[in-house]
Amino acid sequence: MIGWLPWLLVLALGIAVTVLMVKLRRLEEQTSPIQRRCEDLSAELQHYRSLLHYTMESLQDAVVLVTAEGTIVSANPAASRLLGKGILGQTLLQRTLCYDLNLLLTRCVQTMRPQHAELRFPHPHPRTVFVRILPLPTAPQAAGSNYLVVMTDISELRRLEQIRSDFVANVSHELRTPLASIRANAEALLESPPDDPAIQQKFLNTIVQQTERLTRMTDDLLVLAKAEARPIPQTQEIHLSGVVHSLVEQLRTQVEEAQVTVVIDVPEDFVVCAQRDQLEQILWNLIDNAIKYNRRGGQVRIQARKVPEGSEVVVEDTGIGIPNEHLERIFERFYRVDKARSRAKGGTGLGLSIVKHLVEAHGGRVWVESELNVGSRFGFVLPDSRTESVENAAAS
């Protein structure tokens, strides 16, 4: 009997192990769905984290997560572009120097309601920014509340709105002057003696002149509107020399009245890639200005040469020149260095703006150099192939 005891003990242990294995297998069968569910939830959580990260990285708006004190704890790349690098751990006030932003955050913290405002950030670069601040739900174990700050840079939008506003104001002003003159002369004509044709002729001449001025202005506005739409011009190879000689001949009367000399330094075989009507408009405006604002006995020189960018054309004069402080704005609509002189010369204030937009529509660039009382050089460069013109126009 004693000899059987070890075997009975082994058998008992074997039975016990078998029972435990069966229980363990049953327990595994019960816990496997839970484990698989946990794994599924973990994968889904990781997916949404990746999606959130990608979304934050792709947003053009600056998004930062801040504490109630305004300390930045998280930021997307757009926030670094707006506020500068190394912003984590710093406060919104430190990065923007905008006290109104600090007050907006304080209001959100006190009310726990979303806040928004259009603010001006003086630092790191002056910007107009639309800011939205939202309080976030706080987890039970969280140390404090966090706030989501979304900032949209609307500086360019406000700049364009200002340009539009200035344009409307300028158009209204430019139209009011000739209209007032037409009305005044028409009223004077009605009251003038019917038997005095000389006086009537004087009033009528003024009315015709102001009407022609209005016509030039509306024509230039239409040309400018088309140029600003930037349709890709259908370009062709054009011999520049023939175009320049034709335009100078059309301006022969103005050349003789101004008593200036026109020198054409363009090779006969010089070819540019451009839309013919727009090229003539560009050259007409530049040559006409060089004649108008020249001095008696002065010279206008038209030159052309090949450069790495394409074909460069320069119109140079020996006229009154342009002060340095005006050069940056000389291509703006209705911008005049000497308003009285420009109107006296019949200018609409749109010619150089038309030149700029037509050149850029071709994928080219325009520039100016000038010295007061010495003269000015206006030049433009056009790409030499249609493909380059389309690519450059799309990029500009």
Side-chain angles (χ1 to χ4, degrees), residues 347-390:
T348 63
L350 296 169
L352 290 178
S353 184
I354 289 172
V355 168
K356 179 178 183 291
H357 284 91
L358 290 180
V359 168
E360 290 179 350
H362 280 77
R365 64 178 180 87
V366 64
W367 49 270
V368 59
E369 298 172 351
S370 187
E371 186 175 348
L372 195 61
N373 298 320
V374 175
S376 303
R377 297 178 76 242
F378 284 87
F380 62 92
V381 179
L382 298 179
D384 276 337
S385 70
R386 188 174 186 277
T387 303
E388 290 179 5
S389 299
V390 173

Side-chain angles (χ1 to χ4, degrees), residues 65 130 245 323 345 361 374 380:
L65 192 66
F130 185 76
H245 279 89
K345 295 286 185 179
V374 175
F380 62 92

